[in-house]
Amino acid sequence: LRPTHRLLSCPGTVAADVKREEQSSRSVETDSEGRTPKKKFSELQKERREQAQRTVLIHCPNKISEKKFLKYLSQHGPINNHFFYESFGLYAVVEFCQKESVTSLQNITRTPSMDTEAAIPFKSRFFNLKMKNPSSQTSEQSCIQCSNHSPPSSKKLSELLCYAESIDDQLNTLLKEFQLTEEDIKLRYLTCSLIEDIAAAYFLDCTVRPFGSSVNSFGKLGCDLDMFLDLDEIGKLNTNKTSGNFLMEFQVKSVPSERVATQKVLSVIGECLDHFGPGCVGVQKILNARCPLVRFSHQASGFQCDLTTNNRIALKSSELLYIYGALDSRVRAMVFSIRCWARAHSLTSSIPGSWITNFSLTMMVIFFLQRRSPPILPTLDYLKTLADAEDKCIIEGHNCTFIRDLNRIKPSGNTETLESLLKEFFEYFGNFAFNKNSINIRQGREQNKPESSPLHIQNPFETSLNISKNVSQSQLQKFVDLARESAWILSQEDKDRPSPSSNQPWGLAALLLPSVVNSVSLAKKKRKKPASERIKNLLESIKSSSPENDTNTNGK
Ligand code: CTP
Ligand code: MG
């Protein structure tokens, strides 16, 4: 179970941070069309990574004086930023200005002595703060201001949506409520950085990077944390720099294939996390999946983590999605609403199986936006034509080249409203010829399906792969039925929209309610199905949810 995240804001810091950011964005020069230049994905990642390396995670006593706490830590150097959050206790994330402060803090930290158990003396950046004299401090404690950063309950969301002014306003409200907060993003980078320290105990200079929805701008609060253990970037960079007549190589052990190498590395890291990773619990090694992974729960941050290695293409597809998300403000609003709509109707699930995934839904939205006239998003092939020599990127023989500077991509001239896009989305996919066509964001047009899976969405870089191979015919049918029903609900909306004061769910709020038509028709279908088919379906879903067939993760 995922704990709810309650982030406690520190007025002095977060507000100061926002102000700083506002100031810095004001001082940034604008381009010829008056837009503020947006950062490249790689620049953002580098900045956040560097920040995380200067940051520590501290489990604090519940009654703590914030002022004294900060004063105590400042002995090790100036603090750039800090915030508190609650997750099975009170935690503080403290970012120092300099990395040396972390070492200084580690130097005065002791390994706890235990009465009946023994400690594994691993010195990490995750600490436990104790009070020397609890009774004397409680009287002076200041109350730490709480701000709740967990996703809104369905009741609260429904209220917010009902009071919105328009369907466009509803989509933007939903985005605002569900998107990752600045603190949540910081905590994600910090968690990766803590895991990197553990992996670095074996693999010097390795990096652990977040990918997937934590960084592609489509992550909802509470989404999993996908991590990529990068072992060879440093080595590859340095080989170009060597001079002289010789070339130095490490003596290494060899194994029969890349896959075996990946499995061995992940197996060892899985053991490390299990045996001495502070706060890492429920470690599962899923090494036989197409893309082997270690799944665990990072208890202190509350994140469900999936660690993979040798998975550079997925990092590139996260960058591509980040670019699509930043190109037009309607993209993220659409993706978040479709993701929430799918979740509300159990089209997606946190358990792997024959369900459609969020990643597939995002691809469908992007494809749909490429199909508008004029298009809202460019095709991947077009982004490739804009690329310059520095953008060139070939991974394992796959061409992953596209322009990375999103300031050089012209904005769309399309002015459709979110309301009309949402309705059109449901109509488009409610009538899509899934039986013969494949969805392909590279070319931005339907293609004949190369294989018989019910839903075919081409992986943008590994073009022979179908990212939705796991989706069963019945799940696809459920998606189509719900899309049609939602299109119908939205078309009725035009005719008689209830007044906001009536408190009746309307627009997007009505779409997120349990579907009446669908549950009746599904119940009927269920009853009608012969027992043999029900058993077949059950077997199918068990098969596809076993780790070896975990297409939800093995396609990564
Ligand atoms: N991925 C892929 N092919 C798949 C599944 C995943 O290339 N069949 C890559 C994508 O880059 C995806 C990432 O792996 O973004 C992480 O996968 P997953 O966690 O399933 O999706 P997210 O996009 O992170 O969405 P969610 O919020 O549901 O975790
Ligand atoms: Mg994910």
Side-chain angles (χ1 to χ4, degrees):
L1 279 183
R2 195 169 282 150
T4 53
H5 259 168
R6 299 189 67 221
L7 289 158
L8 314 175
S9 80
C10 319
T13 330
V14 177
D17 225 32
V18 171
K19 210 164 165 200
R20 252 201 309 279
E21 259 169 38
E22 275 172 4
Q23 277 166 354
S24 72
S25 66
R26 264 203 298 274
S27 60
V28 167
E29 285 177 18
T30 52
D31 67 4
S32 56
E33 282 159 54
R35 291 175 302 172
T36 314
K38 289 181 182 144
K39 279 187 189 145
K40 271 190 193 171
F41 181 75
S42 55
E43 290 166 357
L44 259 182
Q45 284 239 333
K46 200 171 155 222
E47 229 169 75
R48 296 253 185 216
R49 220 179 97 70
E50 197 266 323
Q51 249 174 22
Q53 286 169 340
R54 290 183 270 116
T55 305
V56 296
L57 180 60
I58 306 176
H59 180 233
C60 303
N62 278 333
K63 298 198 165 158
I64 190 171
S65 149
E66 184 176 353
K67 221 170 123 193
K68 281 188 179 164
F69 171 71
L70 291 177
K71 195 170 160 217
Y72 173 72
L73 287 174
S74 304
Q75 297 176 68
H76 303 281
I79 293 167
N80 200 31
N81 177 277
H82 79 284
F83 62 89
F84 290 94
Y85 72 91
E86 262 178 6
S87 157
F88 300 122
L90 180 66
Y91 291 85
V93 171
V94 180
E95 180 198 322
F96 286 103
C97 296
Q98 291 135 13
K99 222 173 157 179
E100 295 71 45
S101 306
V102 176
T103 321
S104 162
L105 177 61
Q106 278 170 328
N107 285 341
I108 58 111
T109 302
R110 59 173 203 159
T111 301
S113 53
M114 297 181 173
D115 298 337
T116 52
E117 294 170 321
I120 309 255
F122 183 71
K123 295 179 177 167
S124 71
R125 277 183 288 137
F126 179 17
F127 305 93
N128 192 26
L129 181 75
K130 284 193 164 170
M131 289 199 203
K132 272 191 188 152
N133 204 347
S135 54
S136 73
Q137 297 203 17
T138 43
S139 54
E140 302 165 44
Q141 49 151 311
S142 68
C143 183
I144 294 166
Q145 263 196 6
C146 287
S147 77
N148 199 343
H149 285 247
S150 49
S153 64
S154 31
K155 186 168 169 273
K156 160 124 189 279
L157 180 69
S158 170
E159 277 169 22
L160 285 168
L161 296 183
C162 285
Y163 282 104
E165 277 170 9
S166 61
I167 293 188
D168 282 48
D169 192 18
Q170 287 186 321
L171 270 83
N172 285 321
T173 303
L174 183 134
L175 170 64
K176 215 173 93 218
E177 291 294 317
F178 278 97
Q179 69 186 352
L180 302 184
T181 60
E182 174 65 18
E183 287 87 354
D184 193 87
I185 296 174
K186 283 197 163 126
L187 194 54
R188 284 170 190 269
Y189 276 86
L190 172 60
T191 307
C192 286
S193 176
L194 294 175
I195 302 304
E196 180 180 296
D197 286 353
I198 295 174
Y202 275 98
F203 300 99
L204 205 71
D205 294 331
C206 69
T207 38
V208 172
R209 303 174 192 286
F211 72 100
S213 59
S214 299
V215 297
N216 66 18
S217 78
F218 296 114
K220 282 198 313 193
L221 283 171
C223 68
D224 70 354
L225 173 54
D226 303 293
M227 301 176 173
F228 164 59
L229 169 64
D230 196 349
L231 296 174
D232 43 26
E233 193 188 60
I234 302 280
K236 275 185 187 148
L237 283 178
N238 290 346
T239 45
N240 301 332
K241 287 186 197 148
T242 53
S243 58
N245 293 329
F246 298 102
L247 181 68
M248 199 67 107
E249 279 182 346
F250 285 110
Q251 281 281 352
V252 289
K253 285 224 173 193
S254 59
V255 288
S257 66
E258 276 290 333
R259 181 173 170 81
V260 176
T262 300
Q263 288 169 329
K264 292 212 183 267
V265 170
L266 283 179
S267 175
V268 165
I269 303 296
E271 293 292 309
C272 293
L273 294 175
D274 199 16
H275 293 310
F276 60 82
C280 300
V281 296
V283 180
Q284 269 177 287
K285 297 195 260 178
I286 307 172
L287 302 179
N288 289 326
R290 193 188 72 81
C291 185
L293 75 145
V294 174
R295 178 167 290 171
F296 62 97
S297 176
H298 192 258
Q299 221 174 18
S301 60
F303 296 133
Q304 170 76 39
C305 306
D306 277 354
L307 178 70
T308 54
T309 183
N310 204 0
N311 193 15
R312 211 173 286 278
I313 294 187
L315 201 67
K316 212 56 199 168
S317 71
S318 303
E319 177 168 12
L320 177 67
L321 293 194
Y322 166 81
I323 289 181
Y324 277 129
L327 277 181
D328 188 292
S329 64
R330 289 167 289 184
V331 182
R332 293 177 65 231
M334 280 291 288
V335 170
F336 272 73
S337 295
I338 297 299
R339 283 185 171 203
C340 282
W341 167 82
R343 191 73 194 88
H345 295 289
S346 307
L347 283 169
T348 50
S349 163
S350 53
I351 311 160
S354 58
W355 296 273
I356 205 160
T357 62
N358 280 329
F359 182 53
S360 296
L361 289 170
T362 308
M363 287 295 177
M364 290 169 101
V365 175
I366 291 174
F367 182 75
F368 164 74
L369 297 175
Q370 290 174 332
R371 301 296 298 154
R372 303 310 297 157
S373 173
I376 293 182
L377 288 176
T379 65
L380 176 53
D381 273 342
Y382 177 70
L383 295 181
K384 189 172 153 203
T385 62
L386 294 181
D388 56 27
E390 279 186 4
D391 296 324
K392 193 170 171 204
C393 173
I394 313 277
I395 304 170
E396 293 155 19
H398 301 286
N399 194 330
C400 305
T401 307
F402 55 85
I403 183 170
R404 291 171 306 159
D405 179 359
L406 48 100
N407 302 301
R408 286 177 39 217
I409 308 168
K410 253 198 135 92
S412 160
N414 181 306
T415 55
E416 282 173 280
T417 61
L418 283 170
E419 171 173 357
S420 112
L421 288 172
L422 190 65
K423 198 158 70 191
E424 296 281 331
F425 175 89
F426 290 129
E427 255 161 39
Y428 184 76
F429 283 114
N431 297 297
F432 191 86
F434 288 108
N435 56 343
K436 58 176 220 287
N437 286 337
S438 153
I439 291 165
N440 173 323
I441 65 157
R442 183 163 275 283
Q443 286 159 3
R445 56 184 151 83
E446 299 93 345
Q447 295 230 294
N448 284 338
K449 272 207 296 199
E451 38 121 334
S452 62
S453 310
L455 176 60
H456 193 280
I457 305 178
Q458 192 192 60
N459 182 308
F461 300 119
E462 290 172 275
T463 51
S464 64
L465 295 183
N466 172 11
I467 65 160
S468 48
K469 205 178 163 65
N470 60 313
V471 178
S472 66
Q473 184 59 46
S474 59
Q475 285 300 317
L476 177 65
Q477 194 54 49
K478 192 173 160 192
F479 171 86
V480 170
D481 291 347
L482 280 161
R484 287 185 183 165
E485 186 190 320
S486 299
W488 182 81
I489 294 175
L490 286 178
S491 65
Q492 293 308 103
E493 280 283 330
D494 294 344
K495 294 179 194 136
D496 45 6
R497 177 168 300 174
S499 74
S501 54
S502 73
N503 240 345
Q504 282 263 26
W506 60 278
L508 184 56
L511 297 187
L512 300 180
L513 290 176
S515 150
V516 181
V517 180
N518 218 60
S519 52
V520 171
S521 68
L522 277 181
K524 261 196 227 149
K525 270 185 211 149
K526 260 190 203 146
R527 270 202 303 279
K528 273 190 205 153
K529 265 185 201 163
S532 60
E533 197 180 332
R534 286 205 305 272
I535 292 168
K536 205 178 116 214
N537 281 347
L538 188 67
L539 282 175
E540 197 183 300
S541 78
I542 292 172
K543 221 168 81 193
S544 53
S545 56
S546 70
E548 287 74 19
N549 289 299
D550 185 353
T551 33
N552 194 18
T553 47
N554 72 11
K556 285 182 192 176

